Amino acid sequence: MVLAVVIPDRESRLRELLASMNHAPGRVDRENRLVPFARFPALHMARLVLLDDKTTGDVRAHGLEPREYPLYLAFLGDIDGAERDFLEELAAKAGEGLREIFSCCEGFSPEDDLVGWMWSHRSPPLANYVNTRGRTVRQVHQEAALYEALEKRMDGSPEEFAGLNPREVHSRLRKFSGEEQAAGRLTLSPEEPTPAGWWIRDKLHLVGMPLLMLLLSPILLLALPVYLIILRHREKTDPEVVPVYDQEAADHLSELEDHDVTNQFSAMGSLKPGLFRLLTTYAVLGVVDYAARHLVHAGRLGRIRTIHFARWVFVAGKERMIFCSNYDGSVESYMDDFINKTGFGLNASFSNGIGYPRTNWLIRDGCRAEGKYKEYLRRHTLPTQVWYKAYPGLTAVDLERNTRIRKGLDTTNLSREEALEWAKLL
Amino acid sequence: MNAQVDFSDVQGLVRFGYKRMTKAHYDLLQVKDAGAAREWLRQAPVTPAETRDPPPKTALQVAFTVEGIRALGTDESIIEGFSHEFRSGMAASFKARQLGDTGKNAPENWEWGGPGKEPHLLVMLFGEPDVFEDFLSAQTGGLYQQAFELQACLDTADLDGVEPFGFADGISQPKIDWEQKKKSREIVYTYENLSALGEFLLGYPNEYGNLTRRPLVDDNALSSSLDPAPEDPRKRDLGRNGTYLVLRQLDQDVRKFWDFIRKQTGSEDPDADGLAAAMVGRHRDGSPLVKPSGQGDDDNNFNFDADPEGHQCPFGAHVRRANPRNADYPERPRNIFRKLLVTLGFGTPGFRDDVMSSVRFHRILRRGREYGSELKPEDAKGPPPADEPPRGLHFICLNANICRQFEFIQNAWLNSTKFAAMTGERDPLVGNHEPPAGCPVANHFNRPGKDGLRQRVTGLETFVTVRGGAYFFLPGLRALRYLAGP
C-alpha cells in the first residue's frame, strides 16, 4: 500500500482524476488513461481510496478530543512477484498518470524518482490474507480458459459424453486439452518456481515465530492473568458507539457495489486509546497473519470461502487502521458470513476499534449483536473511488474449481473415485 | 420481553393466510388528502390476528411505504428508525442490481412501483365470495375516494393452491414460535422449521436473540397506547407487533415455460423426463423430489441431508435455492477438537463443502396470491391469443429484516449465478437469465448425474417478469392509529 497526504486545495482535482478512471461510479475503465490496470499481467486487484474517515470524533466517547488528521490517498494492489518489480512496471507503463495523481499529494515533485517515491511511501500490512498463495493472474486466466473450452466441448456434443464413465470422460477431455494446446488455442504454463530467497524467508518465518513465542512464553504466561483482568474490565466499560449510519452515505456505498460478482470493501476506524488495545491488536493480527501465511487451507479463511485478498494496515502512526478486502457476493452476505462463520476472529481484531459492539472474553458476543454490528461496519466503510479486478465474473470458488480441474487433467491415471470427484466439477 | 403476543394488536395476515376468503383485492394508493387519509385510517376496521368464533368472513389489512408514512406527516426522526432498505425502497438503482431487476425486469419498465410511481399505501381486502363485493364497496366509499388516488388495483384469482405454472404452491412455510419457547442458540446443528418470532414480528427476539432495530418514539400523551420499548424506558415502541411486507407482481409466461419443457424433452407429456419437476424441486402435486423424512405426508417435512450430491433434487432447483434447509455447520462435529478444526477451516476440504449460509437467518413468511386465469400445462402452448390477460403471482412475504431475509434469498440464492459453488445458472423458474458482467452465460440448468457427469439444459428463457414492487411496513394496530394521528 502506498500512502500519501492529499494537499487540501488539490483534493477536488484528485477526486476528478480518480473519477476519470471509471466509466461510471463503481465501474472502472480497465484501460483508463491514468493507470491502465489491464496492462499489468501480475496485478490481481487494485484500488485507490481516499481515507476520508468520518468517525474520528468517536474518540470523544473515551473522553479525548479528536485530532485533526490530514486526508490520505491509499493505493493498494495485490500482485504476483516482488513489490519493487511491480513498482518499476507501474512507473514504466503508467508513470505519467501516477505523476498526475501524486502531484495532488504532499511531498511529490515532478522531478522525483517515481519508484523511489512510492517505495518510501509504502505502509506494510499488519496482517495479510491471500486466498491461494502462489496462484498467479496468468494461471487464473489460463485455467478459466481451460474450463470454458472443456464446457464448450461437452455442450457441443452431449450425446458423445452421455454414456461415458468418469474415467473415459477424463481421458477424452485430457486428450482434447492436449490437442488444443498443440494447436495453440489453449496454454497451460507450468508452475513458476518459487524464488529461493522468498522460500527461505517463508520457512524462517514459519519456524521463527513459534520459536520466539516459546522463548517469550514464561513472560507471557505470567502476564496472562493480568491481561485477562484488564481485558474483562475494559470489555465491561469500553463505550459502544453505534449510531445509525446516514442513509445517503449508505446509498452512495451501495451505488459502488454489485457491478461484478466480487466486491471491494474498505473500512477505517480508530483504535481504542492506550497500550492495552494496541498490544492486543499486534498479537491478534500477528496470529491472523501467521495463520493466513502458513496454516490455513488454500481458499479458506476459517470457514469463509469468498475472500480473495484481505489486509489490515495502520494509517500513518498507530491510532487508525484500515481493513481492505475483496469478497464475492453482496455486502449483506459478506457480513452474515463473518458473523456466523468467523465471528470469533472478527471480534478479536475489530473489538480493539473504538465503538465496537461489546465483546466477552475478546471473541464472544460482539458481532452477534447483528444489527449493531452491521450499523457499525457500514458506518466505518469508506467509498472506494477506484477498484479493479483482473478477472471479472470469477469468484474465489470459481478459481478453486478451475485449479482443481487443471490439476486433475495434469494427472494421467485417476482412480475411479478420483475421476468421479473430478467429473463432478464440470 | 417474553410477554405473550397481543394478537389484538397484530394484523391478521401475519398469523393467517385467509385461505377461506378466496376473494382478495389489493389497492395501491397515493395520498391525495392527508387529513382525509388520516381520518380513514383512524376508523378503518383493520382485522387483528385474534381467533374468533365464528371466524370472520372478511378482512382488511393496511401497509405503508416510506413515502406513505411521510405523506401522513410523520416526523423524519421517526422515519430514521425504519430499516435502511425500507427507506431506500425496492426501485433504487443499486437495489435493482442486487435483486436481478435489470433488463426487462428494470423498475423503469414496471407498471407500478418504479421511479416516480411509488405507491404510498397498500390496502388489502379479503372476503368470502358471498360477502366480498359488499365489503369492498363499504370500505372504499366516499372518504376513501377523497383521501386516496388509486394508482393500481391488483386483482387476485383463486387457483386452489396451485401457482400458474401448474405446481402446488405455498407448502414451505416457517413455523413461527409464537409462544417464544425457542432458546436463542449460537450454533444449531440440524435444520428445523421453527423460527424465532422476531424474524417475523418486530419487538421480539430474532434468531440472534436480539431485537431488530425499529422506530421508537418519545413517551407522551400521543404515544401512550404503544408498548414501552424494552431497550429504552423513555421510549415507546412503534415497531412492535408490526413487520415489513414485500410485494412483487410477477408475470408468469406459462406458455413459454411449457413450450420450453416440450422442446427440451421432445414430448407432449408435461412430466416427461422429470425436467419440469427437477427445475421446481417438487412434482406438480407438491410432493418434494427428496422423500420427506417424517411420518405422514407432510410435504414440508424434509431436508437435503440425504441428497448431498443433488442426485434426487438438483442444487439449482427452485425449492433448493429458496430454502436449502441446512443448519449453521456443515456437519455435527463428534467432539470439541473436531469442532475447532471445522471452525478454523481445516475440517471440510471438499469442493462443495460449507459454501452456503445457514438458512435459519434467511426465512420468509409467504402470503402471496395468484392472478389471471388457470391454464393447464397440456393447453399451455404459444402463441397466446391477442386478448389473453396476463397471469402470475402477487408475491407477498413478511419479514422483520428485509435485507437479511427477502433480499438475501433473492440476491444470494435465487438470482446468484454462483449459488452452491455452481456457475452459469440462476433460478430456473424465476431467474433473470441475463449473464452478470464477465460471465459468458447464466441460462444453464444442471442436473447432477450419478456417474459424476451433469445433465445440462442450455438456453433457459426468462419465464417470469417483474411488473411492479415495493417495500411496505405492516404496522401493529395501535401503531397504525399512532401514525394516523389524533
Side-chain angles (χ1 to χ4, degrees):
Chain A
M1 180 174 98
V2 173
L3 186 71
V5 174
V6 177
I7 301 169
D9 58 3
R10 298 211 188 140
E11 181 188 334
S12 61
R13 168 74 187 137
L14 179 57
R15 284 186 187 271
E16 274 169 30
L17 281 176
L18 296 180
S20 80
M21 300 169 77
N22 294 324
H23 289 300
R27 283 178 48 223
V28 70
D29 174 358
R30 305 167 67 80
E31 290 279 354
N32 75 80
R33 181 181 67 85
L34 296 174
V35 187
F37 296 109
R39 294 188 200 164
F40 295 86
L43 182 63
H44 291 258
M45 315 257 178
R47 78 182 72 189
L48 287 130
V49 51
L50 290 168
L51 307 187
D52 192 0
D53 181 9
K54 307 280 192 207
T55 65
T56 49
D58 292 359
V59 73
R60 286 197 187 93
H62 286 266
L64 299 173
E65 265 312 295
R67 277 181 46 185
E68 284 287 323
Y69 295 101
L71 177 68
Y72 286 89
L73 169 71
F75 179 25
L76 293 90
D78 298 289
I79 53 162
D80 300 321
E83 197 175 355
R84 184 87 195 189
D85 296 345
F86 181 72
L87 293 184
E88 301 274 3
E89 196 187 352
L90 265 180
K93 292 180 183 168
E96 263 182 59
L98 285 170
R99 280 174 190 279
E100 251 184 90
I101 292 170
F102 290 134
S103 66
C104 300
C105 299
E106 275 174 15
F108 184 81
S109 57
E111 34 317 331
D112 271 343
D113 162 36
L114 185 60
V115 176
W117 190 86
M118 289 193 289
W119 188 256
S120 64
H121 282 75
R122 284 175 317 142
S123 279
L126 226 62
N128 197 24
Y129 169 77
V130 178
N131 180 283
T132 302
R133 297 211 304 163
R135 182 167 56 205
T136 61
V137 177
R138 187 172 71 172
Q139 187 185 343
V140 168
H141 284 310
Q142 290 178 350
E143 289 173 353
L146 170 70
Y147 174 68
E148 257 179 61
L150 297 181
E151 292 287 331
K152 219 174 184 171
R153 171 78 179 80
M154 290 172 69
D155 288 344
S157 49
E159 58 293 328
E160 179 192 339
F161 287 89
L164 300 185
N165 71 45
R167 291 180 68 179
E168 291 166 336
V169 173
H170 177 261
S171 72
R172 199 162 289 203
L173 289 177
R174 191 176 140 80
K175 185 161 159 274
F176 166 73
S177 154
E179 289 162 2
E180 290 295 286
Q181 289 181 64
R185 286 188 291 265
L186 273 182
T187 313
L188 293 174
S189 315
E191 246 176 71
E192 285 151 63
T194 309
W198 187 92
W199 189 86
I200 292 167
R201 275 198 304 279
D202 195 55
K203 294 294 172 248
L204 281 177
H205 188 265
L206 170 69
V207 182
M209 287 295 280
L211 267 181
L212 189 68
M213 284 298 114
L214 201 66
L215 281 174
L216 290 175
S217 60
I219 304 172
L220 292 178
L221 269 177
L222 280 175
L224 188 64
V226 183
Y227 178 85
L228 288 178
I229 290 167
I230 303 178
L231 174 71
R232 295 302 286 160
H233 173 70
R234 294 283 169 103
E235 281 181 334
K236 284 172 189 153
T237 54
D238 280 345
E240 287 183 341
V241 187
V242 278
V244 174
Y245 63 85
D246 179 65
Q247 185 72 21
E248 229 174 285
D251 290 352
H252 176 58
L253 288 178
S254 302
E255 288 291 356
L256 305 179
E257 292 167 350
D258 298 311
H259 295 281
D260 181 54
V261 293
T262 307
N263 274 309
Q264 46 68 30
F265 180 78
S266 311
M268 183 165 192
S270 304
L271 244 55
K272 288 169 181 165
L275 194 62
F276 176 80
R277 289 295 184 175
L278 183 65
L279 288 177
T280 307
T281 301
Y282 272 117
V284 169
L285 293 183
V287 170
V288 169
D289 190 61
Y290 184 84
R293 200 160 157 182
H294 302 294
L295 299 181
V296 300
H297 263 307
R300 288 160 205 251
L301 179 58
R303 287 173 58 203
I304 300 184
R305 296 180 60 186
T306 53
I307 299 178
H308 293 259
F309 299 95
R311 61 173 98 171
W312 289 256
V313 198
F314 273 131
V315 176
K318 308 251 179 294
E319 286 171 0
R320 301 189 303 158
M321 185 168 256
I322 58 167
F323 171 76
C324 295
S325 68
N326 305 276
Y327 64 94
D328 300 322
S330 289
V331 71
E332 175 70 15
S333 39
Y334 183 52
M335 295 192 290
D336 282 341
D337 257 3
F338 259 118
I339 298 171
N340 297 329
K341 292 182 171 171
T342 53
F344 63 97
L346 190 68
N347 286 342
S349 65
F350 281 37
S351 68
N352 300 304
I354 290 179
Y356 190 81
R358 198 167 300 290
T359 53
N360 254 316
W361 298 105
L362 197 61
I363 57 171
R364 296 186 60 86
D365 300 334
C367 63
R368 300 290 298 183
E370 176 228 354
K372 274 187 200 172
Y373 166 72
K374 286 176 179 172
E375 294 289 335
Y376 174 87
L377 204 69
R378 260 334 224 180
R379 186 167 163 267
H380 283 271
T381 305
L382 300 171
T384 297
Q385 281 75 19
V386 181
W387 178 68
Y388 166 81
K389 174 184 163 205
Y391 24 87
L394 294 176
T395 61
V397 169
D398 284 333
L399 303 189
E400 181 180 333
R401 179 201 310 106
N402 297 348
T403 298
R404 284 180 187 239
I405 288 174
R406 209 281 318 281
K407 283 189 174 157
L409 268 195
D410 284 349
T411 317
T412 350
N413 253 323
L414 293 184
S415 71
R416 266 188 56 189
E417 290 69 35
E418 286 169 336
L420 182 67
E421 284 308 310
W422 184 83
K424 280 189 216 157
L425 298 168
L426 293 162
Chain B
M1 207 147 88
N2 280 6
Q4 271 279 315
V5 177
D6 174 6
F7 285 121
S8 71
D9 191 42
V10 179
Q11 294 203 43
L13 196 64
V14 183
R15 198 172 174 205
F16 307 113
Y18 293 135
K19 286 229 166 55
R20 258 194 310 270
M21 303 180 199
T22 52
K23 291 276 189 187
H25 182 108
Y26 310 145
D27 275 351
L28 294 162
L29 306 168
Q30 296 265 358
V31 173
K32 195 161 61 177
D33 172 342
R38 283 196 292 268
E39 194 182 332
W40 183 83
L41 287 166
R42 276 195 295 274
Q43 52 79 51
V46 175
T47 316
E50 293 161 303
T51 47
R52 283 184 203 160
D53 193 25
K57 298 182 81 155
T58 59
L60 171 71
Q61 306 281 279
V62 181
F64 304 85
T65 62
V66 69
E67 288 310 323
I69 294 176
R70 274 205 183 98
L72 295 177
T74 310
D75 199 78
E76 279 302 313
S77 65
I78 295 175
I79 288 172
E80 277 171 21
F82 288 100
S83 69
H84 293 288
E85 56 282 2
F86 174 69
R87 284 152 72 198
S88 45
M90 193 191 281
S93 59
F94 52 85
K95 204 55 80 179
R97 288 198 297 277
Q98 291 171 8
L99 300 180
D101 295 342
T102 54
K104 241 171 89 180
N105 282 353
E108 288 72 26
N109 303 326
W110 291 356
E111 283 160 21
W112 61 272
K117 288 194 269 185
E118 294 98 343
H120 288 167
L121 250 77
L122 167 67
V123 171
M124 314 168 83
L125 299 126
F126 302 86
E128 294 186 15
D130 53 327
V131 294
F132 184 64
E133 291 305 323
D134 289 343
F135 178 63
L136 193 63
S137 52
Q139 294 311 320
T140 58
L143 184 59
Y144 189 83
Q145 304 293 336
Q146 187 197 334
F148 307 116
E149 187 170 304
L150 185 66
Q151 191 185 23
C153 157
L154 310 181
D155 233 329
T156 69
D158 175 28
L159 302 185
D160 203 18
V162 176
E163 55 73 49
F165 289 134
F167 290 80
D169 195 17
I171 301 165
S172 169
Q173 293 279 22
K175 189 169 159 29
I176 303 179
D177 182 23
W178 289 106
E179 285 87 35
Q180 303 170 71
K181 284 185 183 146
K182 196 178 161 181
K183 277 206 198 82
S184 155
R185 280 167 297 167
E186 198 156 317
I187 298 175
V188 174
Y189 293 110
T190 43
Y191 168 72
E192 56 183 52
N193 198 37
L194 187 69
S195 215
L197 179 60
E199 294 291 306
F200 303 103
L201 210 54
L202 294 165
Y204 301 89
N206 60 21
E207 282 290 329
Y208 286 105
N210 303 331
L211 300 174
T212 302
R213 197 169 66 79
R214 63 215 180 281
L216 308 178
V217 298
D218 291 333
D219 187 1
N220 55 34
L222 268 180
S223 65
S224 60
S225 70
L226 301 174
D227 290 329
E231 44 288 69
D232 187 347
R234 293 160 305 171
K235 297 276 187 183
R236 296 266 168 179
D237 197 337
L238 186 64
R240 190 172 169 96
N241 294 330
T243 188
Y244 292 105
L245 182 152
V246 177
L247 171 60
R248 277 162 84 79
Q249 182 179 347
L250 306 173
D251 262 10
Q252 293 176 247
D253 196 333
V254 179
R255 290 170 189 275
K256 200 198 243 182
F257 178 75
W258 289 109
D259 276 342
F260 179 81
I261 298 291
R262 271 190 293 270
K263 199 176 91 197
Q264 289 294 322
T265 59
S267 164
E268 286 293 310
D269 176 8
D271 302 322
D273 187 37
L275 175 61
M279 285 162 65
V280 176
R282 289 185 188 273
H283 299 287
R284 281 196 284 150
D285 65 5
S287 56
L289 297 188
V290 171
K291 292 272 164 297
S293 45
Q295 290 93 22
D297 54 359
D298 182 354
D299 283 338
N300 193 26
N301 188 9
F302 68 98
N303 61 40
F304 298 105
D305 291 357
D307 185 31
E309 307 281 358
H311 292 152
Q312 296 169 53
C313 181
F315 300 116
H318 174 70
V319 304
R320 198 160 182 170
R321 280 180 177 264
N323 182 1
R325 296 171 187 252
N326 63 352
D328 296 0
Y329 245 57
E331 60 177 38
R332 183 185 276 278
R334 294 179 298 275
N335 51 47
I336 188 141
F337 182 65
R338 175 70 193 169
K339 186 177 160 187
L340 193 67
L341 277 186
V342 172
T343 305
L344 295 176
F346 300 105
T348 50
F351 176 62
R352 281 188 197 281
D353 292 344
D354 209 9
V355 284
M356 234 172 302
S357 295
S358 176
V359 79
R360 71 180 171 118
F361 303 106
H362 313 289
R363 300 299 308 272
I364 50 173
L365 197 60
R366 294 182 299 151
R367 290 287 187 247
R369 294 206 176 200
E370 290 79 20
Y371 60 91
S373 60
E374 185 187 0
L375 184 66
K376 293 226 177 298
E378 293 77 10
D379 306 326
K381 290 179 186 171
D387 55 347
E388 187 172 60
R391 45 175 66 86
L393 176 70
H394 293 306
F395 170 87
I396 290 176
C397 76
L398 305 179
N399 48 188
N401 186 335
I402 299 174
C403 189
R404 170 158 64 74
Q405 295 171 270
F406 163 73
E407 287 184 353
F408 182 96
I409 295 172
Q410 177 71 20
N411 168 282
W413 288 350
L414 293 182
N415 210 54
S416 167
T417 59
K418 307 296 182 180
F419 175 76
M422 299 188 295
T423 185
E425 60 179 287
R426 301 191 200 261
D427 188 288
L429 210 57
V430 305
N432 169 358
H433 299 299
E434 259 185 34
C439 297
V441 290
N443 60 0
H444 288 170
F445 174 61
N446 286 336
R447 298 160 78 179
K450 285 212 168 62
D451 56 358
L453 267 201
R454 77 287 189 293
Q455 205 183 328
R456 173 172 290 174
V457 174
T458 58
L460 235 66
E461 292 173 64
T462 299
F463 306 116
V464 169
T465 312
V466 186
R467 290 282 179 228
Y471 293 147
F472 297 89
F473 173 57
L474 184 81
L477 270 71
R478 283 178 267 139
L480 180 85
R481 305 281 183 250
Y482 177 88
L483 289 171

